[in-house]
């Protein structure tokens, strides 16, 4: 993410001003706190926590332009394996990823790592020109699956793609050049998504965009960019030197990176979207994913790999990891402010040892300056209001993280659900934590209003009025968060495959027309009521293909087209065409091979060495 020196200087000047203002404010606040007043100490602790968080943010994003990108590589002498770990993903989630992966250049092999040991996955991999690998011992979930691949596959570099993350044509071309530096162990690219109507998207705002497009590039300055599980390339020598992917945490990617850094390896964040996947479509999926991340972070903090324990990390790396791991506690500060306001409204005790109005003005002024600095440093990725909403939506994760840190657990790895979840578009209940906090806020406001109306002998004063305003803000955001959780369009996914607003020309018999809203499972024909089981000729980016399908009237003057399952090669071409229009995916079909690639199981003979030639992966 490049920026002009003038703009970068302006951003840094604003950040420095906000940081110095924060320090000055906190130093002044120390002089106003009465250390025998628990409420005042609690309020100052919340402000101190916010100040430390802002300082770590400034450190993280101080320089997002620190690395030059290498020239694209059209060929490589290195043996490259594209690995797609999968467990229970649906065919229509997995197939587009495999279809795009086998068509990548330069030369490589594509491996489907199936921990579900499903025959249809093996058949699909064979038809598409990928190799298939499963194992009998499924311990350690995704990390164990990858470690089995690292042991079986004879490769120099491993490109890792989650089952739903579809690579663009440049995925390998734009990342392999970094490995000319023999100290580079990992190249991570941003996670981006093609379901822009997901739970974590509000218009063009994405809840993860700030991290992937600003914070991760900023970590390059400190050699602290870390693996995020997918859309990355790792060096085989490096990963094997530390004993494989870490299995001590359910966030194996972050812990593995810490081990790599302790061993002297470098990591790089390549700030270009080279793959797109499925963001959590519902709050249920969002909750499962974030709970796993929070659990893994706390497992790291409790372990010997805590960034502040042991040797091998620089001070900057320790601070960078602290910023990432401590982010899970930001929600606790939000809860703390609510309880503080509630205590003031109910008891009338003052949380400050000075006049309320001067402190309020100073607090608001600092809030404006620090927010402006975050917006500028965030390069448009930080949006205060949507960010505040998601801060409340993550509150259950913050409490879960605290519980994990204090008590620990043996929480198992949970795969984030993707694709079709059932016949009904059900929504999860609002978490009890949000319901409880909302009720407490409403209860406090009822007491405040009754005190104003002289119905009860309750506390009054400016500090009570400010506390009531804080309660109003909390209740309002909790209400918005609850409504978002319960929205029907964020219910469980019913569709087998995602449809896109695209059109493909077709011919069936003497009929010609347009297939609308196509997916890998079917499409729609508008204005023509057809009934038959036919072979459609469909024009794709790779030329005409023959698709077996059922065609039935839709009852509205049009026709529903359902493709016959199991046409993996045809579905692969459709996938590359449909998704390729979204993200510049490959358009060339790999050549057919007379000999299908072998299937491997753990414990069997290793695969033969991969050939670093242009023919290594031209099979379909």
């Amino acid at each position: 993410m490049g920026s002009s020196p003038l703009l970068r200087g302006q951003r840094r000047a604003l950040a420095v001003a906000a940081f110095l203002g924060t320090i000055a404010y906190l130093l002044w606040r120390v002089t106003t706190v009465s250390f025998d007043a628990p409420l005042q100490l609690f309020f100052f602790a919340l402000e101190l926590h916010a100040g430390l968080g802002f300082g770590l943010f400034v450190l993280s994003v101080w320089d997002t332009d620190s690395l030059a990108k290498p020239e694209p590589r059209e060929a490589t002498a290195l043996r490259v394996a594209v690995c797609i770990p999968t467990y229970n993903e649906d065919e229509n989630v997995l197939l587009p990823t495999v279809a795009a992966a086998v068509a990548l250049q330069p030369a490589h092999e594509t491996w489907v790592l199936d921990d579900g040991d499903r025959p249809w996955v093996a058949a699909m991999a064979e038809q598409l020109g990928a190799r298939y690998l499963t194992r009998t011992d499924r311990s350690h979930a995704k990390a164990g699956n990858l470690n089995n691949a690292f042991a079986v596959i004879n490769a120099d570099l491993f490109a890792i793609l989650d089952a739903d993350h579809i690579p663009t044509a440049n995925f390998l071309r734009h990342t392999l050049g970094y490995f000319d530096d023999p100290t580079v162990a990992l190249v991570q690219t941003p996670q981006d998504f093609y379901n822009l109507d997901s739970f974590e998207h509000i218009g063009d705002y994405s809840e993860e965009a700030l991290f992937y497009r600003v914070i991760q590039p900023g970590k390059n300055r400190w050699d602290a960019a870390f693996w995020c599980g997918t859309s990355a390339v790792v060096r085989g020598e490096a990963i094997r030197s530390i004993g494989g992917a870490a299995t001590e945490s359910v966030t194996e990617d972050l812990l593995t990176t810490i081990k790599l850094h302790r061993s002297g390896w470098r990591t790089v964040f390549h700030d270009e979207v080279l793959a797109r996947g499925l963001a959590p479509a519902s709050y249920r999926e969002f909750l499962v994913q974030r709970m796993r991340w929070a659990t893994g972070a706390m497992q790291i903090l409790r372990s010997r790999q805590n960034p502040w324990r042991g040797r091998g990390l620089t001070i900057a790396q320790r601070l960078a990891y602290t910023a990432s791991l401590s982010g899970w506690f930001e929600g606790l500060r939000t809860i703390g402010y609510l309880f503080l306001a509630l205590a003031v409204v109910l008891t009338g005790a003052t949380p400050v040892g000075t006049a309320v109005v001067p402190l309020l003005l100073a607090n608001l002024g600092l809030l404006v300056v620090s927010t402006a600095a975050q917006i500028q440093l965030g390069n448009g990725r930080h949006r205060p209001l949507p960010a505040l909403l998601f801060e409340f939506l993550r509150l259950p994760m913050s409490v879960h993280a605290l519980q994990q840190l204090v008590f620990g657990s043996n929480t198992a790895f949970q795969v984030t659900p993707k694709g079709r979840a059932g016949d009904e578009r059900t929504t999860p209940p609002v978490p009890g934590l949000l319901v409880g906090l909302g009720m407490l806020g409403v209860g406090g406001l009822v007491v405040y209003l009754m005190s104003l109306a002289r119905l009860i002998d309750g506390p009054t004063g400016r500090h009570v009025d400010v506390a009531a305003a804080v309660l109003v803000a909390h209740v309002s955001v909790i209400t918005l968060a609850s409504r978002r959780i319960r929205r029907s369009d964020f219910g469980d996914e019913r569709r087998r495959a995602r449809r896109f607003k695209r059109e493909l020309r077709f011919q069936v018999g003497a009929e010609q027309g347009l297939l609308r809203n196509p997916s890998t499972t079917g499409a729609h024909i508008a204005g023509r009521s057809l009934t038959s089981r036919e072979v459609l000729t469909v024009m794709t980016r790779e030329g005409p293909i023959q698709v077996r399908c059922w065609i039935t009237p839709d009852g509205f003057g049009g026709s529903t087209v359902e493709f016959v399952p199991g046409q993996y090669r045809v579905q692969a071409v459709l996938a590359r065409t449909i998704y390729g229009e979204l993200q510049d995916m490959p358009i060339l079909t790999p050549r057919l091979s007379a000999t299908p690639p072998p299937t491997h199981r753990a414990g069997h003979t290793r695969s033969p060495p991969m050939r670093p030639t242009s023919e290594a992966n031209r099979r379909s």
Side-chain angles (χ1 to χ4, degrees), residues 26 63 219 230 313 348 380 405 408 418 433 435 439 503 575 582:
L26 292 173
D63 182 6
K219 289 179 181 291
T230 183
L313 298 179
L405 181 64
K418 297 289 175 66
L433 175 66
V435 173
M439 292 177 64
E503 294 181 342
L582 296 177

Side-chain angles (χ1 to χ4, degrees), residues 20-30 47 359 362-363 366:
L20 293 178
T22 299
I23 293 176
Y25 173 82
L26 292 173
L27 291 175
W28 170 68
R29 283 286 287 120
V30 169
E47 292 183 308
L359 185 137
N363 208 302
L366 184 60

Side-chain angles (χ1 to χ4, degrees), residues 174-375:
H174 287 192
T175 54
L176 297 184
Y178 290 104
F179 292 96
D180 287 350
D181 182 344
T183 67
V184 169
L186 165 75
V187 176
Q188 176 68 53
T189 69
Q191 286 192 28
D192 203 64
F193 309 99
Y194 57 82
N195 57 332
L196 302 182
D197 56 352
S198 79
F199 183 83
E200 66 177 55
H201 286 87
I202 300 178
D204 62 347
Y205 173 83
S206 170
E207 191 258 350
E208 296 187 65
L210 179 67
F211 172 76
Y212 281 111
R213 305 313 303 274
V214 180
I215 294 176
Q216 273 277 57
K219 289 179 181 291
N220 275 328
R221 178 183 179 87
W222 315 112
D223 188 22
F226 58 81
W227 183 21
C228 298
T230 183
S231 309
V233 185
V234 298
R235 189 186 297 271
E237 177 190 356
I239 201 73
R240 292 176 182 123
S241 72
I242 61 169
T247 58
E248 305 96 307
S249 168
V250 293
T251 50
E252 75 291 330
D253 41 17
L254 177 56
L255 182 52
T256 299
T257 314
I258 293 176
K259 290 185 174 184
L260 287 170
H261 283 148
R262 288 191 189 278
S263 298
W265 292 98
R266 291 185 57 237
T267 59
V268 173
F269 187 82
H270 177 81
D271 188 19
E272 177 189 11
V273 174
L274 295 174
R276 287 184 174 89
L278 285 168
S282 68
Y283 186 66
R284 198 188 316 273
E285 295 178 10
F286 182 83
L287 199 64
V288 168
Q289 184 184 70
R290 300 311 199 271
M291 286 293 191
R292 184 178 74 246
W293 293 354
T295 298
M298 297 309 106
Q299 288 172 335
I300 292 173
L301 285 177
R302 287 174 58 90
S303 74
R304 290 183 296 176
Q305 294 297 334
N306 182 307
W308 291 98
R309 298 178 63 180
R311 299 179 179 179
L313 298 179
T314 66
I315 293 296
Q317 286 174 328
R318 296 178 197 272
L319 289 172
Y321 280 119
T322 299
S324 297
L325 296 172
S326 64
W328 292 105
F329 300 122
E330 290 180 359
L332 299 178
R333 186 172 69 243
T334 301
I335 297 174
Y337 279 126
L338 187 148
F339 278 106
L340 178 70
L342 189 63
V344 173
V345 166
L346 296 180
T347 68
T350 177
V352 296
T354 186
V356 173
V357 173
L359 185 137
L360 179 62
L361 292 176
N363 208 302
L364 290 176
L366 184 60
L367 177 64
V368 169
V369 174
S370 61
T371 301
Q374 290 180 70
I375 292 173

Side-chain angles (χ1 to χ4, degrees), residues 38-73:
L39 209 58
Q40 293 187 29
L41 286 173
F42 182 58
F43 185 26
F44 180 69
L46 294 176
E47 292 183 308
L48 183 61
H49 182 263
L52 290 173
F54 178 70
L56 289 172
F57 175 78
V58 172
L59 174 74
S60 297
V61 301
W62 183 254
D63 182 6
T64 59
D65 306 317
S66 56
L67 286 184
K69 296 177 181 177
E71 291 295 320
R73 296 301 165 88

Side-chain angles (χ1 to χ4, degrees), residues 456-479:
I456 61 173
D457 185 19
T460 57
R462 287 179 175 174
H463 64 295
V464 178
D465 297 337
V466 172
V470 172
L471 290 179
V472 169
H474 277 73
V475 170
S476 299
V477 181
I478 289 173
T479 301

Side-chain angles (χ1 to χ4, degrees), residues 4-17 372-373 376-377:
S4 69
L6 178 60
L7 180 59
R8 185 164 59 246
Q10 291 174 344
R11 290 173 177 170
R12 290 178 175 177
L14 182 59
V16 169
Q376 288 296 312
L377 290 173

